[in-house]
Amino acid sequence: MACGAPHAHALALLCVVSRLLVACPRISTMLEPTEVGGAMLASPLDDVEVDDPDATLALRSTAWHLVLLQAHYHPTVRDLAAKLAAQVIS
């Protein structure tokens, strides 16, 4: 969503991500690529019948939008995306 947004919207969404990372440190696993035996794990299960959110493996997905935002046309968006990807949050 932030990749196609104007820079002001992308910055607002990145600020939300920053606050979420502070409030819910468990989601920082989404910033780390998950590999098993050299191969990337499959994307999270798409099973709407599962009652347990942890069973969907959502925390094993990656925040790949941050990689795209590091190549954004606006320098502030690029810098903030790089800091979030490196987990340098202030």
Side-chain angles (χ1 to χ4, degrees):
M1 181 160 64
C3 297
H7 69 274
H9 297 155
L11 285 172
L13 290 170
L14 286 171
C15 287
V16 168
V17 170
S18 174
R19 289 181 182 200
L20 279 172
L21 285 168
V22 171
C24 307
R26 190 171 173 202
I27 65 170
S28 67
T29 59
M30 296 177 76
L31 300 178
E32 302 164 359
T34 307
E35 294 185 22
V36 174
M40 294 298 286
L41 285 175
S43 61
L45 299 174
D46 192 19
D47 189 359
V48 295
E49 299 298 322
V50 176
D51 291 330
D52 182 15
D54 289 332
T56 62
L57 303 176
L59 290 175
R60 288 191 182 175
S61 63
T62 56
W64 57 270
H65 283 87
L66 284 177
V67 174
L68 296 176
L69 286 172
Q70 290 178 44
H72 197 272
Y73 70 90
H74 198 276
T76 307
V77 174
R78 282 194 308 258
D79 293 342
L80 185 55
K83 286 179 182 178
L84 283 175
Q87 298 184 23
V88 181
I89 307 167
S90 55

